[in-house]
Amino acid sequence: MTARRTRERAEGGESLVGSEWTVEVGPVAHGGHCVARHEGQVVFVRHTLPGEHVVARVTEGRVGDKFVRADAVEVLRAVPGRVEAPCPYAAPGRCGGCDFQHASLDTQRRLKADVVREQFTRLAGLDVDVEVRPVPGDEAGLRWRTRVEFAVDEAGHAGLRKHRSRDVVPLDDCLIATRGIIDSGVLDTEWPDVESVDVVDAAHPDDPVLVALPAPEKADGSAGLVGEHVRDGDWQGEYVVAARGFWQVHPGAASTLLGRVVALLGASSGDRVVDLYAGSGLFTMRLGELVAPDGFVLGVEGDRRAVDNGATNTEHLDNVEWRANRVDRELRSLVSQGVTADLAVLDPPRTGAGKEVMALLGQLGPRRVVYVACDPSALARDVRAAADQGYVLSSLEAYDAFPMTHHVECIAVLEPDD
Protein backbone atom coordinates (compact mmCIF):
# COMPACT_ATOMS: atom_id res chain seq x y z
CA MET A 1 0.00 0.00 0.00
CA THR A 2 1.41 3.39 -0.93
CA ALA A 3 2.05 6.15 1.61
CA ARG A 4 -0.48 8.34 -0.24
CA ARG A 5 -3.29 5.78 0.10
CA THR A 6 -2.43 5.23 3.77
CA ARG A 7 -2.63 8.97 4.41
CA GLU A 8 -5.95 9.30 2.54
CA ARG A 9 -7.50 6.47 4.54
CA ALA A 10 -6.26 7.97 7.82
CA GLU A 11 -7.78 11.33 6.89
CA GLY A 12 -11.15 9.82 5.99
CA GLY A 13 -10.85 8.73 2.37
CA GLU A 14 -10.17 10.18 -1.03
CA SER A 15 -10.89 13.87 -1.52
CA LEU A 16 -14.18 14.78 -3.21
CA VAL A 17 -13.25 18.42 -3.79
CA GLY A 18 -14.14 19.48 -7.33
CA SER A 19 -16.75 16.74 -7.84
CA GLU A 20 -19.96 18.04 -9.43
CA TRP A 21 -23.31 16.47 -8.57
CA THR A 22 -26.84 17.30 -9.67
CA VAL A 23 -29.00 17.51 -6.55
CA GLU A 24 -32.47 18.46 -5.35
CA VAL A 25 -32.08 21.05 -2.61
CA GLY A 26 -33.80 20.43 0.72
CA PRO A 27 -34.40 22.67 3.74
CA VAL A 28 -32.26 25.56 4.91
CA ALA A 29 -29.85 24.79 7.75
CA HIS A 30 -28.13 26.93 10.36
CA GLY A 31 -24.98 28.41 8.82
CA GLY A 32 -26.07 29.89 5.49
CA HIS A 33 -26.51 26.73 3.45
CA CYS A 34 -29.22 24.27 2.48
CA VAL A 35 -29.18 20.49 2.85
CA ALA A 36 -29.18 18.11 -0.12
CA ARG A 37 -28.25 14.46 -0.67
CA HIS A 38 -26.31 12.69 -3.39
CA GLU A 39 -26.36 8.90 -3.37
CA GLY A 40 -26.90 8.97 0.40
CA GLN A 41 -24.18 11.55 1.04
CA VAL A 42 -25.34 14.65 2.96
CA VAL A 43 -24.31 17.83 1.15
CA PHE A 44 -24.37 21.34 2.64
CA VAL A 45 -24.88 23.59 -0.40
CA ARG A 46 -24.37 27.37 -0.46
CA HIS A 47 -25.81 29.82 -3.02
CA THR A 48 -29.10 27.97 -3.38
CA LEU A 49 -32.67 27.91 -2.01
CA PRO A 50 -34.91 25.10 -0.77
CA GLY A 51 -36.68 23.32 -3.63
CA GLU A 52 -34.15 24.20 -6.33
CA HIS A 53 -32.48 21.78 -8.71
CA VAL A 54 -28.77 22.64 -8.98
CA VAL A 55 -25.33 21.46 -9.96
CA ALA A 56 -23.29 21.40 -6.75
CA ARG A 57 -19.49 21.48 -6.80
CA VAL A 58 -17.86 20.01 -3.69
CA THR A 59 -15.59 22.49 -1.91
CA GLU A 60 -14.73 20.46 1.17
CA GLY A 61 -15.00 16.79 2.09
CA ARG A 62 -13.76 13.25 1.57
CA VAL A 63 -15.24 9.85 0.95
CA GLY A 64 -16.67 8.58 4.22
CA ASP A 65 -17.27 12.01 5.77
CA LYS A 66 -20.57 12.53 7.59
CA PHE A 67 -21.24 15.47 5.27
CA VAL A 68 -19.49 17.48 2.58
CA ARG A 69 -19.72 21.15 1.64
CA ALA A 70 -20.49 22.46 -1.83
CA ASP A 71 -21.40 25.53 -3.88
CA ALA A 72 -24.28 25.66 -6.33
CA VAL A 73 -22.44 26.51 -9.57
CA GLU A 74 -25.46 26.14 -11.87
CA VAL A 75 -29.16 26.52 -11.13
CA LEU A 76 -31.19 24.13 -13.28
CA ARG A 77 -34.53 24.99 -11.71
CA ALA A 78 -34.98 28.14 -9.64
CA VAL A 79 -37.74 28.84 -7.12
CA PRO A 80 -39.63 32.06 -6.39
CA GLY A 81 -37.55 34.31 -4.17
CA ARG A 82 -34.31 33.92 -6.13
CA VAL A 83 -32.83 37.22 -7.33
CA GLU A 84 -29.60 38.23 -8.99
CA ALA A 85 -27.05 38.99 -6.28
CA PRO A 86 -26.44 42.77 -6.19
CA CYS A 87 -22.77 42.21 -5.35
CA PRO A 88 -20.51 40.57 -7.98
CA TYR A 89 -18.31 39.17 -5.21
CA ALA A 90 -21.21 37.19 -3.65
CA ALA A 91 -20.65 34.11 -5.80
CA PRO A 92 -19.10 30.64 -5.56
CA GLY A 93 -15.37 30.81 -5.00
CA ARG A 94 -15.43 34.50 -4.19
CA CYS A 95 -16.17 36.51 -1.00
CA GLY A 96 -17.62 34.48 1.88
CA GLY A 97 -19.05 37.44 3.80
CA CYS A 98 -22.67 37.13 2.62
CA ASP A 99 -24.83 34.00 2.50
CA PHE A 100 -28.16 35.09 0.99
CA GLN A 101 -27.60 37.81 -1.62
CA HIS A 102 -29.24 35.47 -4.15
CA ALA A 103 -32.52 35.68 -2.17
CA SER A 104 -35.02 38.53 -1.85
CA LEU A 105 -35.19 40.16 1.57
CA ASP A 106 -38.56 38.55 2.29
CA THR A 107 -37.13 35.17 1.34
CA GLN A 108 -34.04 35.71 3.50
CA ARG A 109 -36.22 36.48 6.51
CA ARG A 110 -38.41 33.43 5.91
CA LEU A 111 -35.29 31.27 5.74
CA LYS A 112 -33.99 32.73 8.99
CA ALA A 113 -37.34 32.14 10.67
CA ASP A 114 -37.23 28.53 9.46
CA VAL A 115 -33.79 28.13 11.04
CA VAL A 116 -34.95 29.57 14.37
CA ARG A 117 -37.95 27.24 14.43
CA GLU A 118 -35.83 24.20 13.52
CA GLN A 119 -33.25 24.96 16.21
CA PHE A 120 -35.91 25.34 18.90
CA THR A 121 -37.64 22.13 17.84
CA ARG A 122 -34.40 20.14 17.77
CA LEU A 123 -32.52 21.62 20.74
CA ALA A 124 -35.25 22.88 23.07
CA GLY A 125 -38.12 20.55 22.19
CA LEU A 126 -40.38 23.55 21.55
CA ASP A 127 -42.61 24.54 18.65
CA VAL A 128 -42.22 28.30 18.20
CA ASP A 129 -43.95 30.70 15.86
CA VAL A 130 -41.55 33.48 14.95
CA GLU A 131 -41.32 36.16 12.25
CA VAL A 132 -38.01 37.84 11.46
CA ARG A 133 -38.67 41.57 11.48
CA PRO A 134 -36.67 44.22 9.59
CA VAL A 135 -34.46 46.73 11.40
CA PRO A 136 -34.52 50.34 10.18
CA GLY A 137 -31.34 51.96 8.94
CA ASP A 138 -30.15 49.95 5.94
CA GLU A 139 -30.73 50.46 2.20
CA ALA A 140 -32.84 47.50 1.10
CA GLY A 141 -30.56 45.20 3.07
CA LEU A 142 -27.35 46.96 1.98
CA ARG A 143 -25.07 49.69 3.39
CA TRP A 144 -25.67 48.80 7.03
CA ARG A 145 -22.44 47.44 8.44
CA THR A 146 -20.73 50.19 10.46
CA ARG A 147 -17.66 48.11 11.27
CA VAL A 148 -15.75 45.85 8.89
CA GLU A 149 -12.42 44.14 9.40
CA PHE A 150 -10.84 43.78 5.98
CA ALA A 151 -8.17 41.14 5.44
CA VAL A 152 -4.99 42.13 3.58
CA ASP A 153 -3.31 39.89 1.01
CA GLU A 154 0.42 39.45 0.43
CA ALA A 155 0.44 42.33 -2.07
CA GLY A 156 -1.01 44.70 0.56
CA HIS A 157 -4.51 44.90 -0.96
CA ALA A 158 -7.52 44.93 1.37
CA GLY A 159 -10.44 42.58 0.79
CA LEU A 160 -12.49 39.84 2.43
CA ARG A 161 -11.84 36.13 2.78
CA LYS A 162 -13.37 33.31 0.82
CA HIS A 163 -15.83 31.11 2.68
CA ARG A 164 -13.99 28.90 5.22
CA SER A 165 -10.63 29.97 3.80
CA ARG A 166 -7.67 32.21 4.57
CA ASP A 167 -7.52 33.30 0.92
CA VAL A 168 -8.23 37.01 0.43
CA VAL A 169 -10.50 38.31 -2.35
CA PRO A 170 -9.46 41.92 -3.18
CA LEU A 171 -12.48 44.23 -3.50
CA ASP A 172 -13.35 47.62 -4.91
CA ASP A 173 -16.55 47.81 -2.83
CA CYS A 174 -18.49 45.94 -0.15
CA LEU A 175 -22.21 46.55 -0.54
CA ILE A 176 -23.16 45.75 3.04
CA ALA A 177 -20.57 48.21 4.41
CA THR A 178 -21.71 51.78 5.02
CA ARG A 179 -20.69 54.40 2.50
CA GLY A 180 -18.50 55.99 5.17
CA ILE A 181 -16.42 52.83 5.42
CA ILE A 182 -15.90 52.60 1.66
CA ASP A 183 -15.27 56.36 1.34
CA SER A 184 -12.53 56.04 3.97
CA GLY A 185 -10.27 54.80 1.16
CA VAL A 186 -9.47 51.49 2.85
CA LEU A 187 -9.90 49.55 -0.40
CA ASP A 188 -7.82 52.03 -2.43
CA THR A 189 -4.84 52.03 -0.07
CA GLU A 190 -1.89 49.66 -0.02
CA TRP A 191 -1.27 48.12 3.41
CA PRO A 192 2.27 46.67 3.56
CA ASP A 193 3.16 44.49 6.57
CA VAL A 194 -0.45 44.48 7.75
CA GLU A 195 -2.67 41.44 8.29
CA SER A 196 -5.99 43.29 8.45
CA VAL A 197 -7.56 46.74 8.72
CA ASP A 198 -10.52 47.37 11.01
CA VAL A 199 -12.71 50.29 9.86
CA VAL A 200 -15.31 51.77 12.22
CA ASP A 201 -17.99 54.20 11.04
CA ALA A 202 -19.71 55.10 14.33
CA ALA A 203 -21.73 58.22 15.11
CA HIS A 204 -18.66 59.87 16.70
CA PRO A 205 -16.07 60.80 15.57
CA ASP A 206 -17.33 62.24 12.31
CA ASP A 207 -14.71 60.44 10.20
CA PRO A 208 -14.31 56.65 10.19
CA VAL A 209 -11.60 55.15 12.38
CA LEU A 210 -9.07 52.94 10.56
CA VAL A 211 -6.99 50.55 12.64
CA ALA A 212 -4.19 48.70 10.86
CA LEU A 213 -3.44 45.41 12.61
CA PRO A 214 0.00 43.89 12.16
CA ALA A 215 -0.11 40.09 12.36
CA PRO A 216 1.02 39.73 16.00
CA GLU A 217 -1.43 42.33 17.32
CA LYS A 218 -4.95 41.02 16.81
CA ALA A 219 -7.61 42.78 18.88
CA ASP A 220 -5.20 44.69 21.13
CA GLY A 221 -7.90 47.22 22.04
CA SER A 222 -5.72 50.24 21.21
CA ALA A 223 -8.10 51.90 18.75
CA GLY A 224 -9.64 54.29 21.27
CA LEU A 225 -13.31 55.05 21.77
CA VAL A 226 -16.27 55.77 19.52
CA GLY A 227 -19.68 57.13 20.47
CA GLU A 228 -23.18 55.94 19.58
CA HIS A 229 -26.69 57.41 19.87
CA VAL A 230 -29.61 55.28 21.02
CA ARG A 231 -33.33 55.93 21.41
CA ASP A 232 -36.16 54.33 23.32
CA GLY A 233 -39.33 56.15 22.35
CA ASP A 234 -38.93 59.77 23.45
CA TRP A 235 -35.85 58.92 25.48
CA GLN A 236 -32.41 59.22 23.92
CA GLY A 237 -28.92 58.68 25.16
CA GLU A 238 -25.32 58.51 24.08
CA TYR A 239 -22.71 56.00 25.12
CA VAL A 240 -19.05 55.32 24.40
CA VAL A 241 -17.60 51.96 23.43
CA ALA A 242 -14.16 50.68 22.48
CA ALA A 243 -13.72 50.92 18.71
CA ARG A 244 -12.59 47.28 18.69
CA GLY A 245 -14.95 46.16 21.43
CA PHE A 246 -18.41 44.67 21.00
CA TRP A 247 -21.30 46.81 19.82
CA GLN A 248 -24.19 46.47 17.39
CA VAL A 249 -22.92 47.15 13.86
CA HIS A 250 -26.31 47.72 12.20
CA PRO A 251 -27.18 51.42 12.67
CA GLY A 252 -30.72 50.61 13.81
CA ALA A 253 -29.97 47.55 15.92
CA ALA A 254 -28.98 49.14 19.23
CA SER A 255 -32.10 51.30 19.47
CA THR A 256 -34.35 48.49 18.25
CA LEU A 257 -33.00 46.01 20.78
CA LEU A 258 -32.99 48.56 23.59
CA GLY A 259 -36.62 49.48 22.95
CA ARG A 260 -37.75 45.86 22.87
CA VAL A 261 -35.74 44.81 25.93
CA VAL A 262 -37.16 47.68 27.96
CA ALA A 263 -40.72 46.95 26.82
CA LEU A 264 -40.45 43.20 27.43
CA LEU A 265 -38.68 43.46 30.79
CA GLY A 266 -41.23 45.86 32.30
CA ALA A 267 -38.83 47.37 34.86
CA SER A 268 -40.18 50.01 37.21
CA SER A 269 -39.09 51.99 40.27
CA GLY A 270 -37.76 49.77 43.03
CA ASP A 271 -36.80 46.77 40.90
CA ARG A 272 -33.46 45.04 41.42
CA VAL A 273 -31.99 44.14 38.03
CA VAL A 274 -28.95 42.12 36.99
CA ASP A 275 -27.57 42.93 33.53
CA LEU A 276 -25.29 40.07 32.51
CA TYR A 277 -22.73 40.32 29.69
CA ALA A 278 -23.53 44.01 29.96
CA GLY A 279 -20.85 45.25 27.57
CA SER A 280 -20.49 49.00 27.87
CA GLY A 281 -23.97 49.51 29.27
CA LEU A 282 -26.42 49.78 26.37
CA PHE A 283 -29.20 48.33 28.54
CA THR A 284 -27.68 49.21 31.90
CA MET A 285 -27.91 52.97 31.57
CA ARG A 286 -31.56 52.96 30.51
CA LEU A 287 -32.57 50.44 33.18
CA GLY A 288 -30.78 52.45 35.84
CA GLU A 289 -33.06 55.38 35.10
CA LEU A 290 -36.22 53.26 34.94
CA VAL A 291 -35.77 51.64 38.36
CA ALA A 292 -34.71 54.88 40.13
CA PRO A 293 -34.90 56.14 42.77
CA ASP A 294 -35.33 53.01 44.90
CA GLY A 295 -34.22 50.30 42.48
CA PHE A 296 -30.77 49.03 41.63
CA VAL A 297 -28.93 47.68 38.57
CA LEU A 298 -25.84 45.47 38.67
CA GLY A 299 -23.88 45.28 35.42
CA VAL A 300 -21.61 42.23 35.05
CA GLU A 301 -19.05 42.05 32.24
CA GLY A 302 -15.81 40.12 31.83
CA ASP A 303 -14.03 42.72 29.67
CA ARG A 304 -12.36 45.28 31.95
CA ARG A 305 -12.22 47.94 29.21
CA ALA A 306 -15.95 47.55 28.58
CA VAL A 307 -16.64 47.87 32.31
CA ASP A 308 -14.62 51.07 32.47
CA ASN A 309 -16.63 52.47 29.56
CA GLY A 310 -19.85 51.28 31.15
CA ALA A 311 -18.97 53.08 34.37
CA THR A 312 -18.41 56.25 32.33
CA ASN A 313 -21.74 55.81 30.55
CA THR A 314 -23.61 55.44 33.85
CA GLU A 315 -21.62 57.82 36.05
CA HIS A 316 -24.71 60.02 36.44
CA LEU A 317 -26.59 57.13 38.07
CA ASP A 318 -25.80 56.34 41.71
CA ASN A 319 -27.99 53.22 41.64
CA VAL A 320 -25.81 51.36 39.11
CA GLU A 321 -22.89 49.17 40.13
CA TRP A 322 -20.41 47.37 37.85
CA ARG A 323 -18.49 44.15 38.38
CA ALA A 324 -15.61 43.18 36.11
CA ASN A 325 -15.86 39.43 36.40
CA ARG A 326 -16.80 36.33 34.48
CA VAL A 327 -20.56 35.98 34.62
CA ASP A 328 -20.50 32.46 36.06
CA ARG A 329 -18.10 33.48 38.83
CA GLU A 330 -20.11 36.56 39.74
CA LEU A 331 -23.36 34.61 39.81
CA ARG A 332 -21.82 31.94 42.06
CA SER A 333 -20.78 34.71 44.45
CA LEU A 334 -24.23 36.30 44.42
CA VAL A 335 -25.99 32.98 45.01
CA SER A 336 -23.65 32.09 47.88
CA GLN A 337 -24.55 35.41 49.52
CA GLY A 338 -28.25 34.77 49.16
CA VAL A 339 -28.74 37.69 46.76
CA THR A 340 -31.97 37.74 44.74
CA ALA A 341 -33.10 39.78 41.74
CA ASP A 342 -36.46 40.92 40.44
CA LEU A 343 -35.41 41.02 36.77
CA ALA A 344 -32.52 39.89 34.61
CA VAL A 345 -31.15 40.76 31.17
CA LEU A 346 -28.45 38.80 29.42
CA ASP A 347 -26.76 39.32 26.06
CA PRO A 348 -24.07 36.64 25.91
CA PRO A 349 -21.55 36.01 23.13
CA ARG A 350 -22.39 33.74 20.20
CA THR A 351 -21.61 30.61 22.22
CA GLY A 352 -24.44 31.39 24.63
CA ALA A 353 -24.59 31.51 28.42
CA GLY A 354 -24.41 27.77 29.10
CA LYS A 355 -26.05 25.43 31.58
CA GLU A 356 -24.24 26.65 34.67
CA VAL A 357 -25.07 30.31 34.12
CA MET A 358 -28.72 29.49 33.43
CA ALA A 359 -28.86 27.37 36.59
CA LEU A 360 -27.29 30.07 38.74
CA LEU A 361 -29.52 32.73 37.21
CA GLY A 362 -32.57 30.69 38.13
CA GLN A 363 -31.40 30.61 41.74
CA LEU A 364 -31.57 34.43 41.85
CA GLY A 365 -35.31 34.00 41.32
CA PRO A 366 -36.11 36.81 38.83
CA ARG A 367 -39.75 37.13 37.87
CA ARG A 368 -38.70 37.73 34.26
CA VAL A 369 -35.57 37.18 32.18
CA VAL A 370 -34.99 38.84 28.81
CA TYR A 371 -32.32 37.06 26.77
CA VAL A 372 -30.79 38.72 23.68
CA ALA A 373 -29.06 36.25 21.38
CA CYS A 374 -27.18 36.39 18.09
CA ASP A 375 -27.19 32.60 17.64
CA PRO A 376 -30.49 30.69 17.68
CA SER A 377 -28.88 27.33 18.45
CA ALA A 378 -27.13 28.67 21.57
CA LEU A 379 -30.35 30.38 22.62
CA ALA A 380 -32.38 27.18 22.17
CA ARG A 381 -29.91 25.21 24.30
CA ASP A 382 -30.03 27.83 27.05
CA VAL A 383 -33.84 27.94 26.96
CA ARG A 384 -33.78 24.18 27.45
CA ALA A 385 -31.39 24.62 30.39
CA ALA A 386 -33.66 27.28 31.89
CA ALA A 387 -36.54 24.81 31.79
CA ASP A 388 -34.61 22.62 34.23
CA GLN A 389 -34.76 25.56 36.65
CA GLY A 390 -38.51 26.01 36.21
CA TYR A 391 -38.39 28.84 33.65
CA VAL A 392 -40.43 28.63 30.46
CA LEU A 393 -40.32 30.55 27.20
CA SER A 394 -43.16 33.07 27.22
CA SER A 395 -42.29 34.97 24.03
CA LEU A 396 -39.76 34.98 21.21
CA GLU A 397 -38.95 37.71 18.71
CA ALA A 398 -36.40 37.84 15.88
CA TYR A 399 -34.82 40.75 14.00
CA ASP A 400 -32.89 41.00 10.74
CA ALA A 401 -29.93 42.91 12.13
CA PHE A 402 -27.55 41.27 9.62
CA PRO A 403 -29.19 41.37 6.15
CA MET A 404 -27.66 39.26 3.37
CA THR A 405 -26.04 36.96 5.96
CA HIS A 406 -27.45 33.95 7.80
CA HIS A 407 -27.19 35.71 11.17
CA VAL A 408 -30.31 36.73 13.07
CA GLU A 409 -30.87 38.49 16.40
CA CYS A 410 -33.42 36.97 18.79
CA ILE A 411 -35.03 38.19 22.00
CA ALA A 412 -36.52 35.57 24.30
CA VAL A 413 -38.55 36.15 27.46
CA LEU A 414 -38.34 33.53 30.21
CA GLU A 415 -40.67 33.43 33.20
CA PRO A 416 -41.23 31.01 36.09
CA ASP A 417 -43.61 28.19 35.24
CA ASP A 418 -46.32 28.79 37.82
Side-chain angles (χ1 to χ4, degrees):
M1 182 180 292
T2 66
R4 177 177 178 273
R5 287 183 178 273
T6 302
R7 184 171 61 253
E8 286 175 350
R9 182 170 296 177
E11 293 177 348
E14 187 174 356
S15 173
L16 293 170
V17 174
S19 301
E20 293 190 0
W21 302 330
T22 300
V23 297
E24 293 281 348
V25 180
V28 66
H30 186 32
H33 52 259
C34 294
V35 181
R37 289 181 181 273
H38 174 73
E39 298 180 352
Q41 173 70 67
V42 176
V43 189
F44 291 165
V45 192
R46 283 171 52 85
H47 306 287
T48 192
L49 298 174
E52 291 188 326
H53 190 52
V54 305
V55 176
R57 180 182 297 152
V58 177
T59 58
E60 186 177 333
R62 293 177 175 273
V63 173
D65 286 354
K66 185 176 180 180
F67 62 86
V68 301
R69 300 180 185 275
D71 285 338
V73 294
E74 183 180 358
V75 178
L76 304 176
R77 185 185 68 238
V79 297
R82 173 172 284 277
V83 298
E84 184 176 350
C87 176
Y89 300 104
R94 307 205 77 186
C95 174
C98 291
D99 308 292
F100 292 141
Q101 286 211 14
H102 60 283
S104 68
L105 279 176
D106 286 345
T107 301
Q108 293 180 36
R109 290 166 186 156
R110 286 197 298 272
L111 294 175
K112 294 180 185 186
D114 288 345
V115 168
V116 174
R117 284 191 288 267
E118 188 273 335
Q119 295 296 298
F120 269 80
T121 299
R122 184 169 61 86
L123 299 174
L126 296 175
D127 292 328
V128 297
D129 183 17
V130 65
E131 174 187 354
V132 176
R133 308 175 189 179
V135 174
D138 56 56
E139 300 178 16
L142 304 175
R143 299 303 185 196
W144 55 269
R145 194 171 183 93
T146 57
R147 173 180 169 183
V148 180
E149 183 173 325
F150 293 97
V152 176
D153 64 17
E154 294 181 355
H157 300 139
L160 294 171
R161 298 192 187 278
K162 295 180 181 180
H163 182 61
R164 296 176 58 83
S165 170
R166 299 293 296 173
D167 295 342
V168 179
V169 179
L171 310 175
D172 57 16
D173 195 0
C174 172
L175 292 185
I176 65 171
T178 62
R179 298 182 189 280
I181 284 180
I182 301 305
D183 291 345
S184 72
V186 59
L187 298 177
D188 301 321
T189 303
E190 291 190 2
W191 300 94
D193 302 319
V194 167
E195 182 177 87
S196 60
V197 183
D198 204 3
V199 189
V200 180
D201 182 21
H204 297 294
D206 293 334
D207 295 325
V209 177
L210 281 73
V211 185
L213 301 172
E217 299 182 25
K218 295 292 288 182
D220 65 354
S222 62
L225 302 177
V226 295
E228 283 294 304
H229 293 296
V230 287
R231 294 180 178 272
D232 173 28
D234 294 333
W235 178 90
Q236 57 182 315
E238 185 173 317
Y239 68 111
V240 296
V241 296
R244 286 188 53 77
F246 172 79
W247 45 283
Q248 294 291 338
V249 296
H250 190 294
S255 293
T256 298
L257 297 177
L258 175 63
R260 293 309 299 152
V261 166
V262 166
L264 293 166
L265 195 65
S268 59
S269 177
D271 281 329
R272 296 162 299 165
V273 185
V274 289
D275 185 2
L276 308 178
Y277 311 96
S280 297
L282 169 62
F283 304 133
T284 323
M285 62 181 183
R286 179 65 172 134
L287 293 172
E289 295 183 9
L290 289 171
V291 303
D294 301 321
F296 179 80
V297 180
L298 174 63
V300 183
E301 169 58 48
D303 185 330
R304 165 58 72 177
R305 289 188 297 269
V307 169
D308 291 342
N309 295 333
T312 297
N313 293 328
T314 58
E315 61 185 359
H316 62 293
L317 299 170
D318 58 10
N319 65 335
V320 172
E321 182 179 343
W322 285 88
R323 303 277 176 86
N325 199 357
R326 270 179 30 183
V327 168
D328 58 339
R329 291 175 179 170
E330 189 61 37
L331 286 179
R332 280 197 294 271
S333 175
L334 295 175
V335 169
S336 68
Q337 298 173 62
V339 173
T340 61
D342 299 306
L343 300 165
V345 178
L346 64 161
D347 186 3
R350 191 171 301 282
T351 52
K355 290 183 179 180
E356 184 181 10
V357 167
M358 299 309 293
L360 291 167
L361 179 57
Q363 294 179 57
L364 296 185
R367 69 174 184 268
R368 186 172 299 118
V369 176
V370 176
Y371 186 135
V372 181
C374 59
D375 187 281
S377 60
L379 174 59
R381 286 192 295 268
D382 286 344
V383 168
R384 177 66 186 87
D388 294 337
Q389 307 303 315
Y391 281 79
V392 296
L393 180 71
S394 60
S395 75
L396 178 65
E397 300 178 356
Y399 293 89
D400 196 13
F402 310 93
M404 306 296 167
T405 79
H406 74 272
H407 300 292
V408 60
E409 200 83 15
C410 295
I411 306 177
V413 178
L414 302 170
E415 296 177 314
D417 184 2
D418 295 329

